Amino acid sequence: MCEKCKGNFYITTPIYYPSAKLHIGHAYCTVATDTMARYKRLQGYNVMFLTGTDEHGQKIEDKAKAAGVTPKQFVDNIVEGPGGVKDLWKLMNISYDRFIRTTDDYHVAAIQKIFKKMYDNGDIYKGVYKGKYCKPCESFWTESQLKDGKCPDCGGEVQDAEEEAYFFRLSKYADRVRDLLENTDFLEPRSRVNEMINNFIKPGLEDLCVSRTSFTWGIPVDFDPGHVVYVWIDALFNYMTALGFENDRYDDLEAFWPADVHFVGKEIVRFHSIIWPAMLMSLNLPLPKKVYGHGWLLLDGGKMSKSKGNVVDPYVLAEHFGVDALRFFLLRTFPFGSDGNFSNEALINTINVDLANDLGNLVSRTVAMAQKYFGERLPAAQTADEEKDAELIAMVSSLRDKYEEQMEKFAFQNALAEVFKVISRANKYIDENAPWVLAKSEESKPRLARVLYNLLETIRVCGGLLTPFMPDTAAEIAKRLGGARMDWDSLTGFGVLPADVATVAGPALFPRIDMDKELAALEELNKPAVPALEIQPYAEEKVDFDTFCKSDLRAVKVKDCQSVKKSEKLLMFTLDDGTGTDRQILSGIAKYYKPEELVGKTLVAITNLPPRKMMGKQSNGMLLSAVHTEKGEEKLNLVILSDDIPAGAKLC
Ligand code: MSP
C-alpha cells in the first residue's frame, strides 16, 4: 500500500456471461461499481476494481455450436471483439484495474486445485444427481425450490437430470451461513436477507451438485476425467484467483482479500451470500466484508433483454445522450437497492432538468458573467456579505460529509440529491444577488466579484463530488475554472480557488434535448430491423431419393414469351424442349421480367407435372426460379442455364 493512501479497497462486479451482447441493464452494475471505485480513489484509497467474464457452461457451448465456431472462438469474439464486453466498458469509461476471463490459464489451474482441496477435506464427495436443471440459468433446483414447476429465477422450463456427480456439503454450513446473514451486515440491503432466509435457508439447504458430465465446456475435474466443474464454483472463485489465490500470476491477496464489497444483481444474491461464504468456510478463508444485492433495471415493468431492441443498447444510448449523461441517469434516477423502470422519457427528463437546467446553466451563467464583467480573471478586491453568503457557504462546507455518508451506504441517488440541493441553492443565489444589477456601478464591483467567486467555489466543490459519476464532465468543469483543484481534501469548503481565479468559456455542458423530437428519433431506431436478406426455411421433411428422381427436370429454350391478357402475374412461354413439339408453360413472374428479355434464354422446367389451366390456357410444367427476401421485398430469379446446353438435356 502506498504511504499516502488511506488503505486498500477491493470492489468487484459480477463477471458477465459472454453469451450475447450486453444491454444497459448489465452496464448498470458496472457503472455503479466504477462510480464507487472512483469515489474511493478520490478519497485516497488504493483501489482494486475487478471485472471480467464468466465463460464456461452449457449455454455457451450450445451457442457456439449454433454459430458453427468453437466455444473459445465464440467467447473471444464477444469479450474482445468489436462492440464486445471490453469495448463496452471502454465506451462507458469504466476504470477497472483488472479483467479476469475464466478461460485464463491461471484461473483454470487454480480452480482445479481449489476443487481438489475441498474434495480432500471431505466437503466435496461423489454421488448421483437427481433433480431439475434450468439450462438458461445453469442452475440446479430441487423439486421444492421450483415455482409452479418452473425455474424460480427465470420462470422457464426445467428438465429432469440424473447423473453421477460431485456434491458440495452446503448443508454442513447452513447454521453458520444463517448466522452470517441474520446477525451481521454481510448482506445488504436488509430486504435481501429476508429473501434469502425465507426462500432458501428456512426450506433447508441441501448439498449442491458441483460437477457435470453431460457437456465438456468447463474446467475439467483433473482427478476424474469426464467431469467439469459446475460453472458457479468456477465463477465465484474468480474474486480470489484474480488476486493470486492458488496461482502465481498475481500477488495481491494479502493487500486486497477479503473484498470490501461485491456488487451483484438481485438474482445472483443466492450464490454470493449462501454458496460463496459456505465454500470459503470450507477452506477456512476470510469472508468478503459485504455483498450488496442491487435491483434490476426493468423495461416496461419486465425483464430487459437485447431482443427488446435499440432502446436498451448502450451504444445507441451513449451516442444519443453522451456517456456521462447516461452514467448519471442510471445512478440519479433509481435507488440502487430497488428495481427501476428504464424509459427514454425518464432519461431525457433527467438530462434536461438536472444536467441542462441546473448544473449546465449554473456553470454557463457563472463563467459567462465572470468573463463579461471582468474578463479572464476576477479581481482580488472582493467584498463579502456575511448575511447574504452564509447559507450557501454553510451548505457547500457541509456537502462533502453529507455526500460521504450516503456514498458509504451505496446510496448513490441520495448522494447526488445532496449535490443537486446545493446546485439549486446556487442558482437561487444568483437570482438573490442579481449580478447584472451589481455590474451597473463601479462601487458594487467588489461585491459582484465575491458573488461570482462564491459561485465558482460552489461549482468546484459540486464538480469534484460529481467526478466519480461523470468523470469527463468534472474534468471539463475543472478546466472552466482555470484548472481548479478537485481533490478530496479540497472539497470541504471555500477558499481553495485564488481570489483572482481565471475562467475559461466553453459550450453548454449539456444542451437541452427536445423530448418529442428525440423520442421520435429513438422510436424510429427501435422499429424491428428488416433482415437484410432472408431465405425461406429449409424443409424438415425428407424426400427419398427415388421420389426425387421422379421429377423430370429439363433444359428448355424460350422461343416466345407473351403477357397474358387480364393477368398482372402471368407470362406465357412457348418453349423448345428438344422433342420437336413446342411446350407451353404459364408462369406467375410478370412482376419480375419483361417478356421480350427472356426470349432465347435457356431455362429449367419440371416437365412431368399434371397439366393445369390458368386464365383459360394450359400450362404443361413449371419453370424453376430462386426466391429470397431482401429488405422485406420478395425477389425472384429464373434459373438460367448456359446457352451451350441443348434443349431437352435432363437435369439430375
Ligand atoms: N456470470 C454471472 C455472474 C457470476 S459472478 C461470480 C452472471 N452474469 S450475467 O451476465 O448474467 O449478469 C451479470 C450482472 O448483470 C448480474 O449482476 C445481473 O444481475 C446484472 N444484470 C443483468 N440484467 C440486469 C438488469 N436489467 N438490471 C440490472 N442488472 C442486471 O449473472
Side-chain angles (χ1 to χ4, degrees), residues 526-539:
N526 204 34
K527 284 195 178 140
V530 179
L533 199 76
E534 210 179 337
I535 55 168
Q536 309 237 341
Y538 281 86

mmCIF file of all heavy atoms in Angstrom, residues 526-539:
data_model
loop_
_atom_site.group_PDB
_atom_site.id
_atom_site.type_symbol
_atom_site.label_atom_id
_atom_site.label_comp_id
_atom_site.label_asym_id
_atom_site.label_seq_id
_atom_site.Cartn_x
_atom_site.Cartn_y
_atom_site.Cartn_z
ATOM 1 N N ASN A 526 -35.991 2.033 -33.071
ATOM 2 C CA ASN A 526 -36.451 0.839 -32.389
ATOM 3 C C ASN A 526 -37.368 -0.035 -33.220
ATOM 4 O O ASN A 526 -37.767 -1.097 -32.791
ATOM 5 C CB ASN A 526 -37.141 1.222 -31.085
ATOM 6 C CG ASN A 526 -37.093 0.075 -30.118
ATOM 7 O OD1 ASN A 526 -36.116 -0.666 -30.117
ATOM 8 N ND2 ASN A 526 -38.129 -0.098 -29.357
ATOM 9 N N LYS A 527 -37.710 0.463 -34.423
ATOM 10 C CA LYS A 527 -38.537 -0.377 -35.288
ATOM 11 C C LYS A 527 -37.763 -1.650 -35.575
ATOM 12 O O LYS A 527 -36.562 -1.583 -35.834
ATOM 13 C CB LYS A 527 -38.833 0.366 -36.593
ATOM 14 C CG LYS A 527 -39.875 1.440 -36.398
ATOM 15 C CD LYS A 527 -40.399 1.901 -37.732
ATOM 16 C CE LYS A 527 -41.462 2.942 -37.501
ATOM 17 N NZ LYS A 527 -41.373 4.040 -38.451
ATOM 18 N N PRO A 528 -38.456 -2.775 -35.533
ATOM 19 C CA PRO A 528 -37.699 -4.007 -35.750
ATOM 20 C C PRO A 528 -36.960 -3.943 -37.087
ATOM 21 O O PRO A 528 -37.536 -3.553 -38.098
ATOM 22 C CB PRO A 528 -38.778 -5.098 -35.781
ATOM 23 C CG PRO A 528 -40.087 -4.381 -35.819
ATOM 24 C CD PRO A 528 -39.883 -2.967 -35.401
ATOM 25 N N ALA A 529 -35.696 -4.228 -37.017
ATOM 26 C CA ALA A 529 -34.902 -4.141 -38.238
ATOM 27 C C ALA A 529 -35.377 -5.180 -39.235
ATOM 28 O O ALA A 529 -35.618 -6.331 -38.877
ATOM 29 C CB ALA A 529 -33.445 -4.379 -37.890
ATOM 30 N N VAL A 530 -35.536 -4.774 -40.487
ATOM 31 C CA VAL A 530 -35.915 -5.733 -41.517
ATOM 32 C C VAL A 530 -34.646 -6.493 -41.872
ATOM 33 O O VAL A 530 -33.630 -5.879 -42.194
ATOM 34 C CB VAL A 530 -36.422 -4.988 -42.772
ATOM 35 C CG1 VAL A 530 -36.808 -5.963 -43.858
ATOM 36 C CG2 VAL A 530 -37.563 -4.074 -42.405
ATOM 37 N N PRO A 531 -34.703 -7.810 -41.773
ATOM 38 C CA PRO A 531 -33.467 -8.529 -42.085
ATOM 39 C C PRO A 531 -33.023 -8.215 -43.506
ATOM 40 O O PRO A 531 -33.846 -8.152 -44.415
ATOM 41 C CB PRO A 531 -33.850 -10.006 -41.950
ATOM 42 C CG PRO A 531 -35.298 -10.049 -41.631
ATOM 43 C CD PRO A 531 -35.821 -8.659 -41.497
ATOM 44 N N ALA A 532 -31.752 -7.945 -43.684
ATOM 45 C CA ALA A 532 -31.247 -7.555 -44.991
ATOM 46 C C ALA A 532 -31.553 -8.642 -46.012
ATOM 47 O O ALA A 532 -31.989 -8.380 -47.117
ATOM 48 C CB ALA A 532 -29.760 -7.324 -44.902
ATOM 49 N N LEU A 533 -31.349 -9.849 -45.613
ATOM 50 C CA LEU A 533 -31.533 -10.950 -46.541
ATOM 51 C C LEU A 533 -32.185 -12.096 -45.799
ATOM 52 O O LEU A 533 -31.758 -12.452 -44.718
ATOM 53 C CB LEU A 533 -30.143 -11.391 -47.017
ATOM 54 C CG LEU A 533 -30.121 -12.191 -48.278
ATOM 55 C CD1 LEU A 533 -30.326 -11.280 -49.469
ATOM 56 C CD2 LEU A 533 -28.783 -12.888 -48.420
ATOM 57 N N GLU A 534 -33.230 -12.627 -46.376
ATOM 58 C CA GLU A 534 -33.917 -13.708 -45.685
ATOM 59 C C GLU A 534 -34.138 -14.838 -46.672
ATOM 60 O O GLU A 534 -34.632 -14.597 -47.773
ATOM 61 C CB GLU A 534 -35.257 -13.192 -45.187
ATOM 62 C CG GLU A 534 -35.731 -13.863 -43.937
ATOM 63 C CD GLU A 534 -37.062 -13.255 -43.508
ATOM 64 O OE1 GLU A 534 -37.343 -12.113 -43.887
ATOM 65 O OE2 GLU A 534 -37.807 -13.939 -42.838
ATOM 66 N N ILE A 535 -33.783 -16.021 -46.257
ATOM 67 C CA ILE A 535 -34.058 -17.145 -47.145
ATOM 68 C C ILE A 535 -35.190 -17.954 -46.535
ATOM 69 O O ILE A 535 -35.411 -17.900 -45.334
ATOM 70 C CB ILE A 535 -32.795 -18.021 -47.387
ATOM 71 C CG1 ILE A 535 -32.201 -18.479 -46.047
ATOM 72 C CG2 ILE A 535 -31.783 -17.284 -48.213
ATOM 73 C CD1 ILE A 535 -31.174 -19.551 -46.198
ATOM 74 N N GLN A 536 -35.880 -18.673 -47.382
ATOM 75 C CA GLN A 536 -37.004 -19.460 -46.891
ATOM 76 C C GLN A 536 -36.478 -20.581 -45.988
ATOM 77 O O GLN A 536 -35.387 -21.094 -46.219
ATOM 78 C CB GLN A 536 -37.715 -20.107 -48.085
ATOM 79 C CG GLN A 536 -38.051 -19.120 -49.160
ATOM 80 C CD GLN A 536 -39.533 -19.104 -49.461
ATOM 81 O OE1 GLN A 536 -40.237 -20.021 -49.136
ATOM 82 N NE2 GLN A 536 -39.981 -18.045 -50.075
ATOM 83 N N PRO A 537 -37.270 -20.936 -44.952
ATOM 84 C CA PRO A 537 -36.798 -22.022 -44.084
ATOM 85 C C PRO A 537 -36.630 -23.328 -44.863
ATOM 86 O O PRO A 537 -37.379 -23.574 -45.811
ATOM 87 C CB PRO A 537 -37.909 -22.150 -43.039
ATOM 88 C CG PRO A 537 -39.013 -21.267 -43.464
ATOM 89 C CD PRO A 537 -38.552 -20.393 -44.583
ATOM 90 N N TYR A 538 -35.660 -24.102 -44.467
ATOM 91 C CA TYR A 538 -35.442 -25.397 -45.125
ATOM 92 C C TYR A 538 -36.524 -26.375 -44.696
ATOM 93 O O TYR A 538 -37.018 -26.314 -43.563
ATOM 94 C CB TYR A 538 -34.061 -25.951 -44.735
ATOM 95 C CG TYR A 538 -32.954 -25.295 -45.522
ATOM 96 C CD1 TYR A 538 -32.387 -24.105 -45.098
ATOM 97 C CD2 TYR A 538 -32.507 -25.859 -46.722
ATOM 98 C CE1 TYR A 538 -31.391 -23.477 -45.827
ATOM 99 C CE2 TYR A 538 -31.503 -25.240 -47.457
ATOM 100 C CZ TYR A 538 -30.958 -24.058 -47.009
ATOM 101 O OH TYR A 538 -29.976 -23.458 -47.746
ATOM 102 N N ALA A 539 -36.882 -27.275 -45.593
ATOM 103 C CA ALA A 539 -37.929 -28.254 -45.291
ATOM 104 C C ALA A 539 -37.426 -29.247 -44.257
ATOM 105 O O ALA A 539 -36.265 -29.664 -44.308
ATOM 106 C CB ALA A 539 -38.313 -28.984 -46.562
#
